[in-house]
Amino acid sequence: MGRTSGRASGALEEPRIKLPKIGAIALRRTLGLGRSKALFRILSAGLLALAGIVLDWPLPSRSSATLGQIPGQSESQEKTSVLRTRRNEVLVRVVVRDSNGKAVDGLKQEDFRLLDNGKPQVISHFDVERPGIPTPTPAESVEHTPIAHKRPGPNAVEPPRRYVLLVFDNAHSSFEGLVRSREAGKKFLSATMTPAERVAIVTTAGDIAVEFTGDRQQLESALKRLKPNFHGGDPLKDCPRVSDYVVDRQVNYEDPDALSFIRAQAAGQGCPFISPFQAEAFAKAAEGVYRAASLDSLRLLDRMTRRLASAPGERNLILVSRGFVAFKPADILDRIIERALRAGVIISALDPEGLTNPSPFADASQTIPIQPPSIRGEGRASIPNLPSLIESIASSTLTADWEVLAELSESTGGRFFHNNNDIVFGLRELAGSPEVSYVLAFSPENLKADGKFHRLKVELAASKGFTVTARRGYFAPTKTLDAGGQADQEVQDAVFSRDEVRELPVEVSTQFHQLDPKTASLAVRVHLDANALTFHKEGDRNDDNLTFVTVVFDRDGNYVDGHRKRMQLRLTASGLAKTLQGGIGIRDEFHLAPGTYWVREVVRDSELGALSALNTSVDISF
């Protein structure tokens, strides 16, 4: 029997669920309603007496604009989703490696200690994940009787579990490094990529963009087109050839050693200018070019992190780059890290240049800076301890270029593979699923809704010489959102997640029929047992608000189409009795081309904030 409480009703909020659109790898944005139109619908809803009203606000469609209207031969399929449960926990995925970098198997829950801001936490759930072996979301007991449902058919599509976005930094990498990256990428795709993974490829120069796919041929074709593309000219091809670190030190920190090095480098390469004024002018021009390339790369990483946030599964971004200086201000870098932590995106980095000795004295192909000649009126221009300065600048340049890669990786729970010639092994380790990983879950006690960052630390009770890789923290919910905004955020997070949650007894089924040779109509039916709901009394009415979101993804996990419906229930006693007996059902329709899709259904009620999120697949063929 549904429960009834006497709490006052909250105002129905205007929808805020958004589907982001980012560059070449794009999703469709939510179409917003005008405030006056939304208000009119809400007021109209209040006039309905018995069963309330369904407010149908469609998310934008990617279906063809010219859909056939004459139904053809009909074929139908029925599938119902498997239901699982879990919500309101912090999940921490952990990989433990030995001294050889191999993932360690056989660990148990008691082998781990988890600290939130230095305070030990109780690990409420523990799972072991291995590639190709699906691990259900940790289950919790619920008071509702399990719903009978059909098993998925033999052709049911399992949603992709893992998304890998390969970002090739062709604005900063050498041709040789990109060749090594290309070969490593091909071997990863042929030997390591699993059917449960989807891979996308972009470049920082923006000349290549491949959406998430399991088509290896399409991905390999993109890799073949990799080439250096440094917008605005490459200062390393100018005279003198000076790194981003050196010009950053000169322009932004007025480092006298940097200015001396630029002059010595110019003398060693036979460049036409030698005066300090000319060196400063050159450094300023080069800094502008380097800064623009750096900001372009960071902005792309920011967009790609946002794109990955909508991937319904594990989210991994691999930056293949020799590195670059972030320049001041580095607020974009902080924003990328914060966004990645909020969205559960793991960023790793790989330097394709291999084993590196930064010293120019160790490489016969490098030009050794020399003492600049004296300038009339300046006296002797000799730079004291020039060999030591050369070594120091070279070493600092390498460290500075790696700082961005290291910070992104270490802050988000990823790894930084560098100073190693086995690039194939490195990419396979970063982009491939580890042989075994562990998922720890805990429920923070007395968590304040202040939006603050909580630092996480995972350690082993007995280290045994192993290294532990895990996310570095999470952000508490923010109280700046009102109740409606918080609810919409919960729904949006659930939509773009692969995990199934069952806090409401919901059944989902699908059926399709052919409209024309290229189009089918897919009907998604959702049934909710109203006995699990809690209603509040408002006069002679029993009120509750429900949100239904139905989203269709293709087999690669790319968003295709989605609808959102809000149902405001204001039931009389007789209406409540009928609803409890028959339940609540909705129907959504999508026009789709033949293919394999999976449907994500999220249902949330406003009274208790209970939520269910379900997956079901459909194969449209005729």
Side-chain angles (χ1 to χ4, degrees):
M1 185 72 178
R3 296 179 292 269
T4 302
S5 69
R7 292 189 292 110
S9 171
L12 182 63
E13 296 292 325
E14 192 171 343
R16 296 184 181 87
I17 296 177
K18 295 180 180 178
L19 299 179
K21 179 181 180 183
I22 300 100
I25 296 184
L27 295 173
R28 299 288 178 173
R29 283 192 184 276
T30 299
L31 294 178
L33 286 174
R35 187 172 299 274
S36 60
K37 188 175 182 181
L39 180 60
F40 173 78
R41 291 189 175 184
I42 294 169
L43 293 175
S44 300
L47 300 177
L48 297 189
L50 182 62
I53 184 170
V54 173
L55 304 182
D56 189 347
W57 296 327
L59 300 175
S61 171
R62 291 180 65 176
S63 302
S64 171
T66 56
L67 299 175
Q69 300 298 321
I70 303 175
Q73 184 178 1
S74 176
E75 180 180 354
S76 66
Q77 295 181 350
E78 294 282 347
K79 291 188 177 69
T80 307
S81 62
V82 178
L83 307 181
R84 302 180 188 140
T85 52
R86 200 37 163 179
R87 194 161 66 104
N88 297 329
E89 284 189 327
V90 177
L91 299 181
V92 186
R93 182 167 281 101
V94 183
V95 179
V96 180
R97 290 184 171 85
D98 60 20
S99 57
N100 296 318
K102 184 177 180 180
V104 177
D105 202 346
L107 298 177
K108 297 179 171 52
Q109 178 174 330
E110 54 267 26
D111 293 321
F112 292 91
R113 294 181 67 237
L114 195 155
L115 296 91
D116 182 347
N117 282 344
K119 297 179 180 179
Q121 300 295 311
V122 176
I123 300 175
S124 54
H125 295 281
F126 176 81
D127 282 309
V128 182
E129 291 187 345
R130 297 179 179 85
I133 304 177
T135 302
T137 304
E140 64 179 357
S141 61
V142 290
E143 59 185 272
H144 314 307
T145 303
I147 301 172
H149 57 270
K150 300 177 184 178
R151 289 182 175 273
N155 296 323
V157 174
E158 183 75 7
R161 297 188 62 85
R162 195 164 181 267
Y163 292 80
V164 179
L165 176 54
L166 297 175
V167 179
F168 290 93
D169 182 9
N170 58 341
H172 295 100
S173 297
S174 67
F175 178 79
E176 294 78 9
L178 286 174
V179 169
R180 287 191 287 267
S181 303
R182 182 170 58 207
E183 296 306 311
K186 289 180 181 178
K187 292 183 179 179
F188 159 70
L189 294 174
S190 62
T192 310
M193 183 178 173
T194 69
E197 291 177 324
R198 297 295 182 268
V199 176
I201 294 175
V202 295
T203 57
T204 54
D207 50 352
I208 298 176
V210 178
E211 181 59 275
F212 283 109
T213 180
D215 186 339
R216 296 177 183 175
Q217 185 174 358
Q218 182 182 2
L219 295 167
E220 289 179 0
S221 176
L223 289 174
K224 291 178 182 178
R225 303 197 303 273
L226 274 179
K227 61 181 180 180
N229 194 340
F230 198 105
H231 293 308
D234 187 349
L236 287 177
K237 294 181 179 179
D238 292 337
C239 193
R241 296 183 296 275
V242 182
S243 69
D244 51 1
Y245 168 76
V246 173
V247 298
D248 179 43
R249 296 302 305 178
Q250 162 56 30
V251 175
N252 298 311
Y253 298 93
E254 297 182 354
D255 186 345
D257 286 343
L259 183 62
S260 297
F261 182 82
I262 293 173
R263 297 186 65 196
Q265 186 83 332
Q269 296 175 14
C271 302
F273 70 82
I274 51 176
S275 74
F277 175 79
Q278 290 171 310
E280 289 175 0
F282 173 85
K284 189 171 183 179
E287 194 267 354
V289 176
Y290 275 131
R291 178 188 290 273
S294 174
L295 290 178
D296 284 346
S297 298
L298 290 174
R299 286 171 181 144
L300 178 123
L301 288 174
D302 188 31
R303 295 195 301 272
M304 292 303 102
T305 303
R306 281 189 285 147
R307 169 60 180 94
L308 261 177
S310 63
E314 289 183 45
R315 301 153 183 170
N316 299 268
L317 187 153
I318 315 296
L319 174 59
V320 182
S321 171
R322 74 179 182 195
F324 53 90
V325 172
F327 291 94
K328 296 192 304 184
D331 56 325
I332 297 180
L333 186 61
D334 295 335
R335 187 168 69 236
I336 294 169
I337 293 171
E338 178 177 345
R339 194 186 302 279
L341 288 171
R342 289 186 185 277
V345 174
I346 296 175
I347 301 177
S348 294
L350 180 145
D351 179 3
E353 302 300 326
L355 189 63
T356 303
N357 185 344
S359 174
F361 298 110
D363 186 350
S365 65
Q366 294 192 43
T367 302
I368 307 297
I370 61 174
Q371 294 285 357
S374 299
I375 300 175
R376 183 179 301 174
E378 280 195 2
R380 188 170 181 79
S382 176
I383 300 172
N385 301 317
L386 181 59
S388 297
L389 176 61
I390 293 171
E391 290 282 6
S392 175
I393 290 288
S395 177
S396 297
T397 296
L398 184 62
T399 301
D401 283 347
W402 281 349
E403 277 183 4
V404 169
L405 309 185
E407 186 172 357
L408 287 170
S409 303
E410 294 171 3
S411 298
T412 61
R415 301 173 65 195
F416 178 28
F417 187 90
H418 61 290
N419 216 20
N420 190 312
N421 286 330
D422 196 347
I423 308 302
V424 175
F425 170 79
L427 188 59
R428 186 172 67 243
E429 283 291 293
L430 299 182
S433 298
E435 295 90 343
V436 59
S437 60
Y438 304 91
V439 178
L440 316 180
F442 74 99
S443 298
E445 294 184 7
N446 303 318
L447 183 63
K448 296 180 180 179
D450 53 12
K452 290 185 177 180
F453 179 72
H454 285 238
R455 187 167 296 279
L456 291 175
K457 183 177 182 181
V458 180
E459 56 189 21
L460 298 175
S463 65
K464 303 177 182 179
F466 299 153
T467 58
V468 177
T469 303
R471 61 191 290 192
R472 293 300 180 91
Y474 70 97
F475 286 87
T478 176
K479 60 184 177 183
T480 57
L481 289 178
D482 56 21
Q486 191 67 49
D488 281 344
Q489 186 63 54
E490 286 184 16
V491 171
Q492 180 172 337
D493 291 344
V495 167
F496 293 107
S497 170
R498 184 186 183 279
D499 295 334
E500 293 193 321
V501 180
R502 196 194 77 180
E503 296 173 348
L504 294 170
V506 176
E507 287 185 316
V508 179
S509 62
T510 61
Q511 185 179 38
F512 74 86
H513 67 270
Q514 184 177 354
L515 293 177
D516 62 28
K518 296 182 179 181
T519 311
S521 173
L522 171 67
V524 180
R525 294 182 175 88
V526 183
H527 182 270
L528 168 64
D529 182 353
N531 288 280
L533 301 178
T534 297
F535 297 87
H536 71 265
K537 290 290 292 185
E538 187 72 28
D540 64 342
R541 302 289 173 162
N542 300 275
D543 293 1
D544 194 6
N545 296 325
L546 301 173
T547 299
F548 297 82
V549 176
T550 308
V551 177
V552 178
F553 296 90
D554 67 18
R555 67 178 304 139
D556 292 322
N558 298 306
Y559 171 81
V560 176
D561 198 1
H563 299 158
R564 173 182 50 205
K565 294 184 178 182
R566 280 191 173 161
M567 178 179 289
Q568 184 184 57
L569 300 175
R570 301 190 69 244
L571 306 174
T572 63
S574 59
L576 177 61
K578 291 179 181 179
T579 301
L580 294 177
Q581 181 179 9
I584 298 170
I586 69 164
R587 180 184 183 276
D588 266 317
E589 183 177 359
F590 300 88
H591 289 177
L592 304 169
T596 302
Y597 302 89
W598 60 280
V599 178
R600 179 77 169 170
E601 182 67 39
V602 176
V603 182
R604 186 187 189 277
D605 101 295
S606 64
E607 286 302 296
L608 291 180
L611 180 146
S612 285
L614 318 175
N615 299 321
T616 188
S617 67
V618 58
D619 182 18
I620 298 177
S621 58
F622 45 79

